Amino acid sequence: MQDENLERENPVSVEDLFLASQETYAQAQQRAQEENKAFARTEFFRMDKLGVYRLRVLPIAPTTDGVLARPGYEFPVHQLLLELEKPSTGGKASYLYVTVPRATDAGYPLDLIDIYRKAAVAEAKAQGDDKLAEKIGGGSFGGGLKYSYGHALYVLDLDERAKGLQLLTLSHSQFKDLDERKFKLWQKKLAKNPNYPCPVCSVHDAYPVEIEKKKNGGKTEYLVSIDNESDTDVLSKEELSALLSAPRIPDIIYRYSRYQAEATVEYLKQCDARYGMSIMETDEMKEAIETIMAALPKEDTSSFSFDKRTKDNKDNPAAGAATLDDLFERFDSLQEQGLGDRTEQGQELRGLIRAYIEQESLQIRVTRSTSNKDLLNMIEEAMQGPVPSEEEEAPEPPAEEEPRRRRR
């Protein structure tokens, strides 16, 4: 009787309900792609030698239903490398590095570093210390809190195309050079064909982009050009499918976890001590910290610790713990400024390299005759083990003046 009543109330049979709700092939394919994105490793591109690099810039991938998050080929990114001094009972200081994006770029209501920076600069000026105010307001390499500004994009290395997609981060000046050349070439193409697509990233009609890394005296320069003398490069269906299935660039560069928020709070406390201030004790900073912590996802159970090998950090690939590429960035920045190993900055980097070797328990001997560059290369070789740790898979910070490639 109960079954008969159900059938009268609902003329659709139970079997029909299940048949109508079966997953289609397209739905299953889309779900598989979304799941694969969550576990896909990102290859990072870095120019580590002098010479010309030929790249195929890739367009931003739409969703499977054709929706485009942003036209073009790049996403802007602001990031800062935090250098946190570990607690010690004496002896040589050691450091832990964490890369954080600007929290507002990741969709949060405020950014702790921006708020602190503004307050600290105002406090230094109120104290009559304009030099300190300038330092705090400047970039991280000078001890300041200004975010680096870069542009992240997917590329193919045309000399090693089989490697597939790699994430490249251009400095803002490099991006502007490329953008300026793109528009000049595009205007010429539009004069002949009003419907000509982007000559840098279109599917069928894009030209190779060349970036030459060269020495100019003691400085490193990057010359950007578009090789419109070559044939246009056509993306294959396989490459387009790989791009569609790859993690979206914002999911990589805008990750902001509880680990990073807690690391930022600890870092700013150390800034207070370094600058001789008490900004972290103000109501403004306390309220800002409460706001950002409340906005973090409840399911994010990561936690910052000075023990870099803690389970929370290793199980949280989005934690942003920096690795070898951060040291490479510092080395490259010093090279561009003409500052060698024997300068004060070069010796400071050497101390950071030594601390990293100890931190990773690497069997590398630091001798007086071994250059910083040689040590970095030795570390990179030693870190290329068969089973990379989660920390090695963390998103890369943008290069201040150089595209980055992370070899795995």
Side-chain angles (χ1 to χ4, degrees), residues 110-136:
L110 55 83
D111 182 82
L112 297 178
I113 293 172
D114 279 344
I115 292 174
Y116 182 97
R117 177 170 170 260
K118 182 179 178 181
V121 168
E123 177 64 22
K125 288 182 177 179
Q127 295 174 1
D129 195 338
D130 291 340
K131 197 169 183 179
L132 177 59
E134 184 178 355
K135 175 182 177 179
I136 296 171

Side-chain angles (χ1 to χ4, degrees), residues 347-366:
Q347 289 299 303
E348 179 184 357
L349 172 61
R350 196 171 188 82
L352 300 178
I353 292 172
R354 190 190 301 271
Y356 183 87
I357 290 172
E358 294 173 356
Q359 169 184 284
E360 300 296 333
S361 301
L362 301 176
Q363 298 302 311
I364 295 175
R365 186 183 176 198
V366 181

Side-chain angles (χ1 to χ4, degrees), residues 369-382:
S369 60
T370 311
S371 68
N372 286 348
K373 176 65 172 177
D374 289 339
L375 287 172
L376 291 173
N377 288 335
M378 291 164 66
I379 293 172
E380 186 170 46
E381 291 177 6

Side-chain angles (χ1 to χ4, degrees), residues 115-406:
I115 292 174
Y116 182 97
R117 177 170 170 260
K118 182 179 178 181
V121 168
E123 177 64 22
K125 288 182 177 179
Q127 295 174 1
D129 195 338
D130 291 340
K131 197 169 183 179
L132 177 59
E134 184 178 355
K135 175 182 177 179
I136 296 171
S140 62
F141 288 114
L145 296 173
K146 184 179 180 180
Y147 280 101
S148 66
Y149 181 38
H151 299 261
L153 54 147
Y154 273 129
V155 297
L156 296 173
D157 183 349
L158 293 181
D159 293 325
E160 297 182 277
R161 194 163 188 144
K163 282 188 173 181
L165 309 183
Q166 298 184 64
L167 189 69
L168 163 69
T169 303
L170 295 174
S171 69
H172 185 59
S173 62
Q174 291 165 348
F175 168 73
K176 294 302 289 183
D177 284 346
L178 175 57
D179 222 31
E180 181 181 342
R181 284 159 178 75
K182 176 194 72 176
F183 280 117
K184 285 182 179 179
L185 177 57
W186 205 347
Q187 287 171 357
K188 292 180 181 179
K189 294 295 182 181
L190 289 173
K192 297 179 179 179
N193 178 4
N195 297 316
Y196 199 92
C198 175
V200 165
C201 71
S202 65
V203 174
H204 298 118
D205 300 294
Y207 292 96
V209 170
E210 294 185 342
I211 303 179
E212 181 182 3
K213 180 178 180 180
K214 59 183 292 187
K215 285 290 185 182
N216 183 5
K219 294 188 176 182
T220 303
E221 289 183 346
Y222 300 89
L223 304 180
V224 181
S225 62
I226 301 172
D227 182 15
N228 61 314
E229 297 296 323
S230 295
D231 293 334
T232 54
D233 185 273
V234 179
L235 295 175
S236 68
K237 289 183 179 179
E238 291 76 16
E239 288 168 339
L240 291 173
S241 295
L243 183 58
L244 197 64
S245 301
R248 295 298 189 255
I249 293 175
D251 293 339
I252 301 169
I253 62 176
Y254 299 146
R255 290 172 178 165
Y256 189 84
S257 66
R258 190 173 301 276
Y259 175 95
Q260 289 165 303
E262 292 181 2
T264 298
V265 171
E266 179 59 37
Y267 175 74
L268 294 177
K269 288 179 181 178
Q270 293 189 7
C271 287
D272 259 0
R274 189 182 311 125
Y275 302 146
M277 297 180 179
S278 300
I279 305 296
M280 294 298 283
E281 298 302 317
T282 63
D283 291 340
E284 181 185 29
M285 281 306 303
K286 289 179 179 179
E287 290 174 6
I289 292 170
E290 287 181 7
T291 299
I292 200 74
M293 292 302 178
L296 291 167
K298 302 300 184 209
E299 60 271 19
D300 181 357
T301 58
S302 63
S303 177
F304 173 75
S305 169
F306 278 106
D307 178 7
K308 196 177 178 187
R309 296 298 184 182
T310 59
K311 184 178 185 299
D312 275 342
N313 188 13
K314 291 186 72 176
D315 288 348
N316 182 35
T323 55
L324 178 58
D325 282 311
D326 301 315
L327 299 180
F328 265 113
E329 285 192 8
R330 292 204 165 213
F331 174 81
D332 294 336
S333 177
L334 295 183
Q335 290 294 297
E336 288 154 12
Q337 298 174 59
L339 300 173
D341 290 357
R342 297 185 181 277
T343 63
E344 180 181 350
Q345 294 89 339
Q347 289 299 303
E348 179 184 357
L349 172 61
R350 196 171 188 82
L352 300 178
I353 292 172
R354 190 190 301 271
Y356 183 87
I357 290 172
E358 294 173 356
Q359 169 184 284
E360 300 296 333
S361 301
L362 301 176
Q363 298 302 311
I364 295 175
R365 186 183 176 198
V366 181
T367 64
R368 185 171 297 180
S369 60
T370 311
S371 68
N372 286 348
K373 176 65 172 177
D374 289 339
L375 287 172
L376 291 173
N377 288 335
M378 291 164 66
I379 293 172
E380 186 170 46
E381 291 177 6
M383 295 294 287
Q384 307 237 350
V387 183
S389 70
E390 293 289 354
E391 292 157 20
E392 292 176 75
E393 296 169 13
E396 305 302 307
E400 190 72 25
E401 289 298 332
E402 174 185 321
R404 309 292 292 168
R405 176 176 62 188
R406 180 61 184 272

Side-chain angles (χ1 to χ4, degrees), residues 61-88:
T63 61
T64 51
D65 56 3
V67 177
L68 190 63
R70 173 185 171 91
Y73 56 88
E74 55 76 38
F75 282 88
V77 58
H78 298 85
Q79 290 179 313
L80 186 67
L81 175 64
L82 310 183
E83 181 182 89
L84 294 116
E85 184 174 351
K86 293 183 179 180
S88 64

